[in-house]
Amino acid sequence: LLTEYNRATEKLFKVIIIGDPGVGKTSFIRRYVQNAFRGDYKATIGVDFALKIVRWSENQTIKLQLWDIAGQERFTWMTRVYYKEAQGCIIMFDLTSRNSFKNAVKWKKDVDSKCFLEDGAPVPCMLLANKCDLQQREVDQWEIETLCREHGFIGWTETSAKDDLMVGDCMRFLIEIMMKYN
Ligand code: GTP
Ligand code: MG
């Protein structure tokens, strides 16, 4: 009986995080899970995993299995395998890199062509504009707004893994959406 009770109050979600190399995917996850930040860049090889346990309410615990997928092209041939059965997706770009912003659309199309929810609906994707702590921006807010709308993202926000801006907030938003879909 106790096991049944626990099962009913615990949910597991697989979330993938993708985007160009160096945009800050690993840093975002490190901030969210360990509340830490490192200034040096060590490219992810293939994929890394992290688990975040969220106390959602008094009787609801959520386990997030975070798949931190390498942005470097020599690893992306495996993405179909990594995306499998994802229930949520984060697509990240770097506000100081116009190229990474353009490529967010490529990443969105990649997910939508390879991966679906159980009922065939597209996987809910949130767009994150990271490194908002930096001054030298190459992308305007209205451009992000437009891209977000035209390509079917569930929403977007600026984030900073470095200064811990909007990291927890956007994850709460994504969890709320995944709770509705599942
Ligand atoms: P790949 O694993 O190659 O796909 O890259 P990634 O997207 O995981 O990037 P990573 O998190 O390794 O960060 C790349 C670099 O950007 C590192 O030097 C980080 O310190 C830096 N960085 C990440 N997030 C931020 C941020 O919010 N602000 C600033 N200023 N730098 C950041
Ligand atoms: Mg990485």
Side-chain angles (χ1 to χ4, degrees):
L1 199 66
L2 201 58
T3 329
E4 281 304 314
Y5 175 74
N6 285 338
R7 217 176 273 141
T9 56
E10 196 177 279
K11 266 182 197 284
L12 176 72
F13 291 125
K14 172 178 173 178
V15 176
I16 53 173
I17 170 159
I18 55 180
D20 273 11
V23 297
K25 300 178 296 296
T26 300
S27 304
F28 177 86
I29 290 175
R30 184 174 291 134
R31 171 62 74 193
Y32 183 53
V33 175
Q34 300 167 26
N35 198 20
F37 178 79
R38 291 169 50 161
D40 57 325
Y41 174 37
K42 255 182 72 191
T44 303
I45 310 289
V47 64
D48 272 336
F49 303 97
L51 186 73
K52 170 85 174 179
I53 297 170
V54 182
R55 184 90 190 270
W56 191 248
S57 66
E58 208 170 314
N59 51 11
Q60 177 84 70
T61 301
I62 291 166
K63 284 188 177 171
L64 294 179
Q65 199 181 73
L66 302 163
W67 290 54
D68 174 14
I69 296 169
Q72 286 190 19
E73 207 158 338
R74 61 195 164 114
F75 301 119
T76 52
W77 61 281
M78 279 288 283
T79 52
R80 188 182 297 277
V81 176
Y82 300 153
Y83 294 172
K84 201 163 178 259
E85 287 171 9
Q87 286 144 304
C89 171
I90 294 168
I91 296 181
M92 181 176 283
F93 68 94
D94 173 350
L95 274 166
T96 69
S97 158
R98 191 153 187 88
N99 197 47
S100 74
F101 172 65
K102 293 272 171 216
N103 283 336
V105 174
K106 283 193 199 159
W107 286 103
K108 179 73 165 68
K109 287 181 176 160
D110 195 49
V111 174
D112 285 346
S113 67
K114 292 176 180 167
C115 177
F116 303 88
L117 297 182
E118 267 181 359
D119 64 359
V123 177
C125 279
M126 179 168 63
L127 181 65
L128 297 186
N130 193 41
K131 307 196 188 181
C132 72
D133 56 282
L134 297 176
Q135 300 301 312
Q136 58 273 32
R137 296 182 176 217
E138 292 188 357
V139 194
D140 292 327
Q141 292 200 343
W142 68 266
E143 295 180 283
I144 307 171
E145 185 69 47
T146 308
L147 184 137
C148 178
R149 205 169 346 99
E150 286 179 351
H151 293 278
F153 287 91
I154 55 169
W156 75 277
T157 182
E158 294 184 0
T159 57
S160 170
K162 181 164 180 266
D163 291 352
D164 195 10
L165 298 172
M166 290 303 285
V167 174
D169 303 85
C170 71
M171 290 308 295
R172 265 191 297 280
F173 174 74
L174 183 63
I175 292 169
E176 267 168 29
I177 302 270
M178 291 192 299
M179 296 283 277
K180 273 185 211 155
Y181 284 32
N182 294 275

